[in-house]
Structure formats: structure tokens, C-alpha cells
Amino acid sequence: MEKPWKCVDCGERYRAPSLLAAHRRSHTGERPFTCSQCEKGFIQLSSLRTHQRVHTGERPFTCSECRKGFTQSSHLQTHQRVHTGVRPFTCSQRGKGFIQLSTLRTHERVHTGVRPFTCSQCGEGFTCSSNLRTHERVHTGERPFTCSQCGEGFTCLSTLQRHQRVHTGERPFTCSQCGKGFTQLSNLRAHQRLHTGERPFTCSQCGKGFTQSSELWAHQRVHTGERPFTCSQCGKGFTQSSNLQRHQQVHTGERPFTCSQCGKGFTRLFHLQAHQRVHTGERPFTCSQCGKGFTQSSSLRAHQRVHTAERPFICSVCGKGFTQSFHLLSHQRVHTGEMPFTCSNCGKGFTGSSHLLSHQRVHIEEKPFSCTDCGRSFRQASSLVAHQRIHTGERPFTCFVCGKGFTALPTLLRHQKIHTEEKPFSCTDCGKNFRQSSNLSAHRRTHTAERPFTCSVCGKGFNRPSNLSAHQRVHTGERPFTCSVCGKGFAKSFNLLAHQCTDTKRPFNCSVCGKGFTQSQWLLRHQQVHK
């Protein structure tokens, strides 16, 4: 069809003078049609009318398959390709298909690295202007889209629409392999890569693969140290704006997602869903090497590094390696002395918010996780899982030097320092060295005479909460650790283990005089006699 009307600025041609006049406004910046509700301007009246449906909620074009509504017929036509599977626009590098040409062009910038839209405040670049506009609201605090049910605000309409599915329970995108439902198609595609093992986005520095490009961009900041999103209250920096928003809930105390069984609150829905598996016992992600199950796929990936010995996150100060980046960040505060999370009851500082939350249960004596065998309660689900191995005898973590087994990975890591004699944490008062920062913190109280953990019965103070818990059994008479051979009960698990060794063996022998001991710490103490 003939297009006789040509734009003198860019050469684009149009069929009618009215279309050319509307196009010319994109060059002049003129937007004569203004929304009366939000004052947004448009170059055409039809665009204004379509926009007004955002405020009225009108969606006259409905998909016959999923009943989703749209403000424009062109949006409906594009959406229908989700159901038909038609993806006419293909990436020349990876062969990935897209339902819109504009989406393909934005995607191609992932490969070229082009990010033409830059934030004037933090310098972060974006592949499309709409992402930049949404991002800028992180700095301005603007959240124009509000949920009518819970009042939570959002920076863009699509995020609000996805959030509303939390209330309705709608998960229209389902995985054909495991049946798991998702609120977004992109999340389903990323999830399916867990089954296929596909990780198309690879870090050029450490080789780590990711299922989504956004995960790769955020990960790369671990290497560069870039943390453009900063908390105004404590100054902590973050690699992603979403992490900053979740962190701010630590200061406000907001935990909108609550477990119906134990009352524990969470800042995110999927954290609640993972937590609920503690009560149901469901562990859908299983390690192929040792058979251990996990409530989250990320926990499984971190666990697999125990078998491969991979520790890709290295501390630049002491050289210690970690399986997860957030463990490294928490560890680095040991060197800097930073303790941004403080207990309002006793003033004790912590390097992570999870440590603070666990500690606060010491003051309120909350122990929501109970052992079904002996009735002993714990403040953390991980402590309960490790404790249950005392009853089952399971010790899945084995020392490669002496063959000793342990119920928990942190206990194995602490034990291995006996062989290496590594003691990286030093007391500034007396110079004594420790294998763990927690032992150093407890030791410092011998200099300060601080005993913040007090028995409610006799008033005796302790420098560690574990010592207080063990002491309280003197009053209650509780002896939850029982010998399976003679039935004798013990207040502490290590007393039971020592007792069992008395009846069987003394595996720790002195190389000088040959004397045997039931525990390695008693052997180390004895060896000082020969020095």
C-alpha cells in the first residue's frame, strides 16, 4: 500500500497525514493528550483512551483459553502466542524464540552487553527504557500501584498483578514434569531448567552458570564488589534493589507471611513455603550422592559443594572459602568488626539478621521445633534435624583425615581445624587463639566478666546460651540423652558420647605415652603435660 507522507526528520513514511502528524510529536516531544488522574501525556487520543483503562480496570479484550483480559486487541493477539507456542522472532545466537520483535531486540542486548538506558543516580544500565523508569522509583520511593487487599505498593503494574496472585492463589503456569505452579511464565521457564540442567548464562570469571540473565548480572557484582543499593538506616549495600527492599523489613520488623503452625513470620512468600516443609517433612530436592533431601533447590546446590569440596567464595583477608556468597559476606564482618544487627534486650551484636532472630528466642525462651523421640525443643529447624541424628545414629559428614563422623556440616568444619591447627580468631586482651569467632566472643566475656544469659530459677549467669540451657536441666532434672545399652540418661549429648566410648573404646591416643581418651579435647589437654 502506498505511503506518500514522509517524515523529514527520520524518513519514516505513512499512509495518512494524521498518522504523520502523530509521529512528528515523537520528535518534538509534544504530548497534547493528558490523563486527568496521573497527568501522563500521550501523542495520540487513542493511546490516552487505552491508558485510562489502567485506572478504570477495564479490560475489554479477553483470552478465550485462560480468560485473561487486556486493554488492547494487539496485546491479546501477542498473548495468544503463549498458548499456541508460536514464537516468530528468533535470536540468531542461541536460537531462543520470542513472541514480539521488541522483546527480541531487548534480549539481543544480553549478548552484546549494550545497556543504552542509564540511571542518573547510581549509574546502573538497562536494556530498555521501561526497566529504567521502574528502577528510578527505587530511588524516589514512588510506588504508584497499590494492592487493594494488603496495601502493599509496587513500582510497576505487572508486579502488582503478579502479587495479587498471592492472595487469589492463582498459579496459571504449571510444570509438566513435577506439577509445580507459577505466577509467571518466565519463572516456569527458569524452573524447567532445574529438570533439564540447562544454565545458559555463564559467569566469565568463575564459570558459574545461571538459569536467568538477571541472576548472572546480580552474581557478577560479587566479583566486582559493586553494591549500588544502600540502606539509609544502617548503610549496608546490596547488589539488587529487591534485596534492599527485603532487608529494610529487618528494621521495620515487617514479616507479612506467617506460618499457621508455629507463628514464625517471613518477608517473602517462597521462604514461608520452604519453611512449611519443616513441619510437613517434605524434602523434594535430593542429593544423588548421599541421598540427603532439601526443602529448596538452592540448598541442594550449596550442599553438593560438600562432596565436590568446591568453595568458590574466598575471603580476601584470611583466605577462607565458602560455599555461598552470603556466608562470605557475613564472615567478612568478623574481620571488620561490623555487627549491624543488635539485640534490643541485651545489646549483643550480630553479623546477620538470621543470627539475631535465633538469639532473640533465648530471651523469650521460644523453641518452636520439637523432637518427636525425646521431646527436646530447639530454636532452629536445622538444630532439630542435626539433633535427630543422635537418635538415628546417622553421621553423614565424615572427616577425611581421621574418619570421624558428624551429624552436621559446621561441626565437621570445626573439627577439621584440629588437624590443621588453624585458629584464625585472636583475643586482643591475652592473645589466645580460637577456631571459631563464637568461641572468641564467649572467651572475651572472661575478661569483661559479662554473663548476659541468666537462669530464671537461681539467677546464675552464663556467657553462652548453650551453657544456660544445659544448666537449667539441673533444676528440671531433664536427661534427654539416653544410652541405648544401659539406659543411663545424660543432660548433655557429649556426656552421652563420652559414656558410650567408655563402654567401647578410646579412639584418641597420645603419641608420646599411648594413653587413650574418649574425646579429642581431653587428648589435646593431656598433651600439654609432655610439653
Side-chain angles (χ1 to χ4, degrees), residues 95-116:
K96 185 177 181 180
F98 297 88
I99 57 178
Q100 297 182 79
L101 177 61
S102 59
T103 311
L104 168 62
R105 287 173 178 161
T106 299
H107 164 80
E108 286 171 335
R109 291 174 184 148
V110 173
H111 302 296
T112 62
V114 176
R115 291 174 171 266

Side-chain angles (χ1 to χ4, degrees), residues 82 87 165 173 182-190 192:
V82 173
R87 294 178 171 270
R165 291 175 181 148
F173 306 101
F182 297 87
T183 57
Q184 300 179 72
L185 178 62
S186 59
N187 289 346
L188 169 60
R189 287 182 183 142
Q192 286 171 330

Side-chain angles (χ1 to χ4, degrees), residues 6 14 64 111 132 163 184 201 239 261 289 295 383 447:
K6 181 180 177 181
Y14 294 88
S64 57
H111 302 296
L132 171 59
H163 163 80
Q184 300 179 72
F201 305 100
T239 56
Q261 292 202 45
Q289 293 202 43
T295 57
S383 300
H447 297 294

Side-chain angles (χ1 to χ4, degrees), residues 193-251:
R193 291 175 183 140
L194 294 176
H195 299 295
T196 62
E198 181 190 5
R199 292 179 171 268
F201 305 100
T202 307
C203 176
S204 58
Q205 293 203 42
C206 67
K208 186 176 181 181
F210 297 89
T211 56
Q212 300 182 69
S213 60
S214 58
E215 291 177 348
L216 170 60
W217 294 334
H219 163 80
Q220 285 171 332
R221 292 178 181 139
V222 173
H223 300 294
T224 63
E226 180 190 6
R227 293 179 169 270
F229 306 100
T230 307
C231 175
S232 58
Q233 292 201 44
C234 67
K236 185 178 180 182
F238 296 88
T239 56
Q240 300 181 70
S241 60
S242 57
N243 290 344
L244 170 59
Q245 290 166 3
R246 288 195 298 272
H247 163 79
Q248 287 170 332
Q249 291 172 336
V250 173
H251 298 295

Side-chain angles (χ1 to χ4, degrees), residues 6 51 58 89 206 232 259 275 294 309 388 404 440 482 518:
K6 181 180 177 181
H51 163 79
E58 181 189 4
F89 307 101
C206 67
S232 58
C259 175
H275 163 80
F294 296 88
Q388 286 171 329
K404 185 176 180 181
L440 172 59
T482 307
T518 57

Side-chain angles (χ1 to χ4, degrees), residues 82-364:
V82 173
H83 300 294
T84 62
V86 176
R87 294 178 171 270
F89 307 101
T90 307
C91 173
S92 58
Q93 293 204 39
R94 291 192 178 272
K96 185 177 181 180
F98 297 88
I99 57 178
Q100 297 182 79
L101 177 61
S102 59
T103 311
L104 168 62
R105 287 173 178 161
T106 299
H107 164 80
E108 286 171 335
R109 291 174 184 148
V110 173
H111 302 296
T112 62
V114 176
R115 291 174 171 266
F117 306 98
T118 306
C119 175
S120 59
Q121 293 204 41
C122 68
E124 185 173 0
F126 296 88
T127 55
C128 58
S129 59
S130 60
N131 289 346
L132 171 59
R133 287 195 297 270
T134 300
H135 163 80
E136 285 171 336
R137 291 173 181 145
V138 174
H139 299 294
T140 61
E142 180 189 5
R143 293 176 171 268
F145 304 98
T146 306
C147 175
S148 58
Q149 292 203 43
C150 67
E152 187 173 355
F154 297 89
T155 55
C156 60
L157 177 63
S158 58
T159 312
L160 168 61
Q161 290 168 345
R162 288 195 299 268
H163 163 80
Q164 287 172 329
R165 291 175 181 148
V166 172
H167 299 295
T168 62
E170 180 190 6
R171 292 179 172 266
F173 306 101
T174 306
C175 175
S176 57
Q177 293 202 44
C178 66
K180 186 175 181 180
F182 297 87
T183 57
Q184 300 179 72
L185 178 62
S186 59
N187 289 346
L188 169 60
R189 287 182 183 142
H191 164 80
Q192 286 171 330
R193 291 175 183 140
L194 294 176
H195 299 295
T196 62
E198 181 190 5
R199 292 179 171 268
F201 305 100
T202 307
C203 176
S204 58
Q205 293 203 42
C206 67
K208 186 176 181 181
F210 297 89
T211 56
Q212 300 182 69
S213 60
S214 58
E215 291 177 348
L216 170 60
W217 294 334
H219 163 80
Q220 285 171 332
R221 292 178 181 139
V222 173
H223 300 294
T224 63
E226 180 190 6
R227 293 179 169 270
F229 306 100
T230 307
C231 175
S232 58
Q233 292 201 44
C234 67
K236 185 178 180 182
F238 296 88
T239 56
Q240 300 181 70
S241 60
S242 57
N243 290 344
L244 170 59
Q245 290 166 3
R246 288 195 298 272
H247 163 79
Q248 287 170 332
Q249 291 172 336
V250 173
H251 298 295
T252 61
E254 181 189 2
R255 292 181 170 265
F257 304 102
T258 306
C259 175
S260 58
Q261 292 202 45
C262 67
K264 186 176 181 182
F266 297 86
T267 55
R268 302 181 76 183
L269 176 63
F270 79 84
H271 286 165
L272 169 60
Q273 291 168 341
H275 163 80
Q276 286 172 329
R277 292 174 182 145
V278 173
H279 299 295
T280 62
E282 181 190 5
R283 293 179 172 267
F285 305 99
T286 307
C287 176
S288 58
Q289 293 202 43
C290 67
K292 185 177 180 182
F294 296 88
T295 57
Q296 300 181 67
S297 59
S298 58
S299 301
L300 170 59
R301 288 196 296 269
H303 163 80
Q304 286 169 331
R305 293 178 183 138
V306 173
H307 301 294
T308 62
E310 180 191 3
R311 293 180 170 268
F313 306 101
I314 310 296
C315 176
S316 58
V317 178
C318 66
K320 187 176 181 181
F322 296 88
T323 56
Q324 299 184 64
S325 61
F326 73 86
H327 287 165
L328 169 60
L329 296 173
S330 181
H331 163 80
Q332 286 170 330
R333 293 180 182 133
V334 173
H335 299 296
T336 62
E338 181 190 4
M339 296 261 186
F341 305 98
T342 307
C343 176
S344 57
N345 283 300
C346 65
K348 185 178 180 182
F350 296 88
T351 55
S353 59
S354 59
H355 296 159
L356 171 59
L357 293 171
S358 296
H359 163 79
Q360 286 172 331
R361 292 179 179 143
V362 173
H363 297 294
I364 61 176

Side-chain angles (χ1 to χ4, degrees), residues 247-522:
H247 163 79
Q248 287 170 332
Q249 291 172 336
V250 173
H251 298 295
T252 61
E254 181 189 2
R255 292 181 170 265
F257 304 102
T258 306
C259 175
S260 58
Q261 292 202 45
C262 67
K264 186 176 181 182
F266 297 86
T267 55
R268 302 181 76 183
L269 176 63
F270 79 84
H271 286 165
L272 169 60
Q273 291 168 341
H275 163 80
Q276 286 172 329
R277 292 174 182 145
V278 173
H279 299 295
T280 62
E282 181 190 5
R283 293 179 172 267
F285 305 99
T286 307
C287 176
S288 58
Q289 293 202 43
C290 67
K292 185 177 180 182
F294 296 88
T295 57
Q296 300 181 67
S297 59
S298 58
S299 301
L300 170 59
R301 288 196 296 269
H303 163 80
Q304 286 169 331
R305 293 178 183 138
V306 173
H307 301 294
T308 62
E310 180 191 3
R311 293 180 170 268
F313 306 101
I314 310 296
C315 176
S316 58
V317 178
C318 66
K320 187 176 181 181
F322 296 88
T323 56
Q324 299 184 64
S325 61
F326 73 86
H327 287 165
L328 169 60
L329 296 173
S330 181
H331 163 80
Q332 286 170 330
R333 293 180 182 133
V334 173
H335 299 296
T336 62
E338 181 190 4
M339 296 261 186
F341 305 98
T342 307
C343 176
S344 57
N345 283 300
C346 65
K348 185 178 180 182
F350 296 88
T351 55
S353 59
S354 59
H355 296 159
L356 171 59
L357 293 171
S358 296
H359 163 79
Q360 286 172 331
R361 292 179 179 143
V362 173
H363 297 294
I364 61 176
E365 297 184 358
E366 180 191 4
K367 295 187 177 184
F369 306 101
S370 299
C371 176
T372 54
D373 288 316
C374 66
R376 188 180 175 190
S377 298
F378 297 87
R379 297 184 183 93
Q380 299 180 70
S382 58
S383 300
L384 170 60
V385 172
H387 162 80
Q388 286 171 329
R389 293 178 181 136
I390 294 173
H391 299 295
T392 62
E394 180 190 5
R395 292 179 172 268
F397 305 98
T398 306
C399 177
F400 63 88
V401 178
C402 66
K404 185 176 180 181
F406 297 88
T407 58
L409 175 62
T411 313
L412 168 61
L413 296 176
R414 288 196 298 270
H415 162 81
Q416 286 173 331
K417 290 173 182 172
I418 294 173
H419 300 296
T420 62
E421 297 185 357
E422 178 191 2
K423 293 186 177 184
F425 307 102
S426 300
C427 176
T428 55
D429 291 316
C430 66
K432 188 175 181 180
N433 296 320
F434 296 88
R435 297 187 182 93
Q436 300 177 72
S437 60
S438 59
N439 289 343
L440 172 59
S441 300
H443 163 79
R444 280 173 176 161
R445 295 182 183 125
T446 61
H447 297 294
T448 62
E450 180 190 5
R451 292 180 173 268
F453 307 102
T454 307
C455 176
S456 58
V457 179
C458 66
K460 187 176 180 180
F462 297 88
N463 59 6
R464 296 190 183 195
S466 58
N467 292 344
L468 170 60
S469 299
H471 163 80
Q472 286 172 329
R473 295 184 188 126
V474 173
H475 300 294
T476 62
E478 180 188 6
R479 292 178 173 268
F481 306 100
T482 307
C483 177
S484 58
V485 178
C486 67
K488 187 176 180 180
F490 297 87
K492 297 178 180 179
S493 60
F494 76 81
N495 288 342
L496 169 60
L497 294 173
H499 165 78
Q500 289 170 331
C501 290
T502 302
D503 289 343
T504 56
K505 59 182 178 177
R506 293 175 176 264
F508 303 99
N509 296 309
C510 177
S511 58
V512 179
C513 67
K515 187 176 181 180
F517 296 88
T518 57
Q519 296 186 52
S520 60
Q521 62 186 16
W522 294 343

